[in-house]
């Protein structure tokens, strides 16, 4: 098994992805021993059943990909995902509030989400996406600080649906900001082993990519 496999969230979130395509990435995640498979919410139950007895965790997204859902909707989506068997949830921080300087509102939203989700399932891993391509460095630092304060487990760079994905510079910035208190997930545009290793060297502790199989094949 490639040394990179344990870092990878094997991801398929394209809106047009078929059930057969989702089934394939679930099978690939089990075959290669990836950290998690990240799939649309409607496929969580199937993924949880298929991955039962493996070390691969079932991950899905909530408030995705824009992040400006009502806090009550974020909570409702999370409850359903956990009930279906999700072990990890990736959500998007409310960028509008962050850019408006409403940090207390952002923190309240995230903190309530973290607390409610943890009540639903012990050991749930929670990741918050900043969408770094849309933020200034100062906003990235503020956002990372709010994610740490919320009690989430990871700050994540990108959804993969905006105008840019992870960069080594952003990963390094976020890793410095969180200072080991939580993990850093790089996501978006990671398509080869060299890029994956560069993100890890910059401080990423998890990588989200739809190219996981190609990456581990290249890494050997």
């Amino acid at each position: 098994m490639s040394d990179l496999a344990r870092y990878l969230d094997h991801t398929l979130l394209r809106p047009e992805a078929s059930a057969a395509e989702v089934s394939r990435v679930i099978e690939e995640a089990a075959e290669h021993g990836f950290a998690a498979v990240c799939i649309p919410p409607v496929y969580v139950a199937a993924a949880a059943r298929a991955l039962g007895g493996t070390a691969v965790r079932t991950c899905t997204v909530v408030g995705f990909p824009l992040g400006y859902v009502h806090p009550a909707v974020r909570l409702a989506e999370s409850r359903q995902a956990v009930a279906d068997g999700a072990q990890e949830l990736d959500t998007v921080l409310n960028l509008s509030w962050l850019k408006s300087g409403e940090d207390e509102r952002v923190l309240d939203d995230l903190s309530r989400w973290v607390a409610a989700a943890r009540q639903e399932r012990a050991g749930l891993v929670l990741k918050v996406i900043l969408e770094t391509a849309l933020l200034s460095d100062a906003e990235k630092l503020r956002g990372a600080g709010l994610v740490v304060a919320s009690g989430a487990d990871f700050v994540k760079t990108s959804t993969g649906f905006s105008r840019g994905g992870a960069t080594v510079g952003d990963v390094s910035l976020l890793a410095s900001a969180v200072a080991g208190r939580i993990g850093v997930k790089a996501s978006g545009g990671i398509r080869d082993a060299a890029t994956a290793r560069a993100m890890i060297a910059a401080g990423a502790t998890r990588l989200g990519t739809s190219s996981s199989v190609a990456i581990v094949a290249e890494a050997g």
Side-chain angles (χ1 to χ4, degrees):
M1 181 187 299
S2 167
D3 64 314
L4 292 176
R6 64 189 176 92
Y7 288 94
L8 297 173
D9 285 2
H10 192 32
T11 302
L12 179 60
L13 295 171
R14 288 186 288 105
E16 77 278 15
S18 68
E21 289 176 305
V22 174
S23 293
R24 185 171 68 249
V25 300
I26 293 168
E27 292 168 3
E28 290 169 345
E31 177 185 351
H32 293 281
F34 295 134
V37 63
C38 190
I39 38 80
V42 293
Y43 293 109
V44 166
R49 287 193 299 269
L51 295 171
T54 78
V56 181
R57 296 172 66 86
T58 298
C59 175
T60 194
V61 290
V62 296
F64 187 92
L66 300 176
Y68 51 37
V69 294
H70 191 284
V73 174
R74 194 187 306 277
L75 297 182
E77 287 186 29
S78 300
R79 280 194 299 271
Q80 185 62 58
V82 172
D84 287 344
Q87 297 163 300
E88 304 196 358
L89 301 177
D90 291 16
T91 197
V92 186
L93 175 148
N94 191 311
L95 296 169
S96 178
W97 287 349
L98 183 69
K99 283 188 166 289
S100 300
E102 298 189 72
D103 290 17
E104 290 186 10
R105 207 170 184 183
V106 173
L107 181 57
D108 183 67
D109 182 14
L110 293 179
S111 298
R112 288 176 183 272
W113 174 68
V114 169
R118 292 251 166 81
Q119 285 185 339
E120 297 292 327
R121 181 187 292 272
L124 194 66
V125 172
L126 301 171
K127 313 185 197 98
V128 179
I129 305 166
L130 296 187
E131 203 66 280
T132 49
L134 303 180
L135 302 177
S136 67
D137 283 354
E139 289 167 340
K140 293 167 197 173
L141 291 172
R142 280 175 40 228
L146 293 169
V147 175
V148 171
S150 76
D153 300 291
F154 282 82
V155 62
K156 178 177 170 181
T157 61
S158 324
T159 62
F161 285 78
S162 188
R163 64 186 180 216
T167 68
V168 168
D170 281 342
V171 170
S172 180
L173 182 70
L174 295 181
S176 176
V178 304
R181 291 171 291 176
I182 61 174
V184 176
K185 179 175 173 180
S187 183
I190 303 169
R191 300 186 179 91
D192 55 58
T195 302
R197 293 193 191 283
M199 295 297 177
I200 293 167
T205 54
R206 194 80 75 88
L207 307 174
T209 176
S210 59
S211 301
S212 306
V213 174
I215 286 170
V216 295
E218 179 189 347

